[in-house]
Amino acid sequence: MQTSSLAPEGKLELELTARGIRMTRQRRVILGVIESAGKHLDAAQILRRASRIEASINRVTVYRTLNLLKKQGLVDELDLLHVRGDGHYYEPRPARHHLHITCLRCGSVSELESALFERLKGQVQREFDFDITIARVEIGGVCSKCRK
Amino acid sequence: MQTSSLAPEGKLELELTARGIRMTRQRRVILGVIESAGKHLDAAQILRRASRIEASINRVTVYRTLNLLKKQGLVDELDLLHVRGDGHYYEPRPARHHLHITCLRCGSVSELESALFERLKGQVQREFDFDITIARVEIGGVCSKCRK
DNA sequence: TTAAGTGCAAATATTTTGCTGTCAC
DNA sequence: GTGACAGCAAAATATTTGCACTTAA
């Protein structure tokens, strides 16, 4: 079977629809941009990419959609140690929390899932009797390429 | 020996002076506020407290001092998952990296030093051949008090 | 003395809100 | 048909910059 080339429904769209949330042309475009981005985008970048597909899309709609997705727990908001500016970066919420490792020289971002981190979260839950919903790990430094 | 009640030199002031950085009346006040705060303050809170001591202190000077301290690696900038607004919070850089655990209901912040986290950083250094300079862990959820 | 720092006003960057008209269901 | 959503303009929030005056060393 082949995937349709027009508006293939992504996970985000399916999730929102399943939760009875209305799907609009604009939302579909924004969701598609977030899901198909190979990297973390900020609001301005999401707007720029969405605009190419649907010229009329407004900045405000991007922010409102991001807020909706955050509230639904479908995307996570990152700062990436503010390598570029004071804005936020977004990614679809992954199955497992992972670390973000940002090179402060070249801005490249690596990700890491780690059993140690799972144990660390367990420690927090136990020691503070704390119910974790978000976990953000942002590590900054210099990558091997930039050290050469 | 008793500590002088006027302008006791804190660690930050000593560090800056040792590095040949000029010490002004305003800086001394701001450094004092940051060091003696029992909790993480944002720029506006630092300004408010500093103003009480030295009424003429300007918002801009607070930002400029924070930038100086960041550049010198003497304070760390946190987001605390943006429990209140989109600003940043500051703390003197501690000897060891620690975790920040923020209750998304009541906004209380706990801290944790953990051997597991030290191991996790080691893993990152090794697996990515990465030279870590900053490590920020921000965990959000609901504390035990708020769950009751 | 003089380079660095400060205050003030204004600019910039990021995100939100009010309102009116439109569209998904 | 109607309540949720979009666009536009304007406001709110957070931070930085240009410039003239002041001060630490």
Side-chain angles (χ1 to χ4, degrees), chain A residues 79-85 89 102-109:
Chain A
D79 294 84
L80 298 181
L81 301 168
H82 300 300
V83 254
R84 287 189 299 280
Y89 298 87
T102 306
C103 176
L104 302 174
R105 292 244 180 101
C106 69
S108 69
V109 180

Side-chain angles (χ1 to χ4, degrees), chain B residues 22 24 26-27 56-61 64 86:
Chain B
R22 205 174 277 190
T24 64
Q26 294 92 331
R27 271 185 192 164
S56 71
I57 284 185
N58 195 275
R59 209 169 63 257
V60 174
T61 301
R64 286 200 269 233
D86 276 321

Side-chain angles (χ1 to χ4, degrees), chain B residues 81-146:
Chain B
L81 301 168
H82 299 301
V83 254
R84 286 188 300 279
D86 276 321
H88 299 120
Y89 298 87
Y90 299 89
E91 69 179 7
R93 178 166 294 185
R96 267 184 236 301
H97 289 128
H98 54 254
L99 284 65
H100 294 93
I101 299 144
T102 307
C103 176
L104 302 173
R105 292 244 179 102
C106 68
S108 69
V109 180
S110 308
E111 301 187 347
L112 174 66
E113 274 190 26
S114 166
L116 277 172
F117 183 45
E118 296 304 315
R119 289 175 58 193
L120 183 56
K121 284 191 292 178
Q123 186 188 3
V124 170
Q125 309 247 31
R126 269 179 279 109
E127 287 196 17
F128 293 92
D129 186 17
F130 192 88
D131 189 9
I132 297 179
T133 53
I134 309 177
R136 200 199 270 177
V137 184
E138 304 194 323
I139 290 179
V142 187
C143 72
S144 60
K145 270 190 191 167
C146 286

Side-chain angles (χ1 to χ4, degrees), chain A residues 21-22 24 26-27 56-61 64-65 86:
Chain A
I21 290 167
R22 205 173 277 191
T24 65
Q26 294 89 331
R27 269 184 192 165
S56 71
I57 284 184
N58 194 273
R59 212 170 61 255
V60 175
T61 301
R64 285 201 269 234
T65 302
D86 276 321

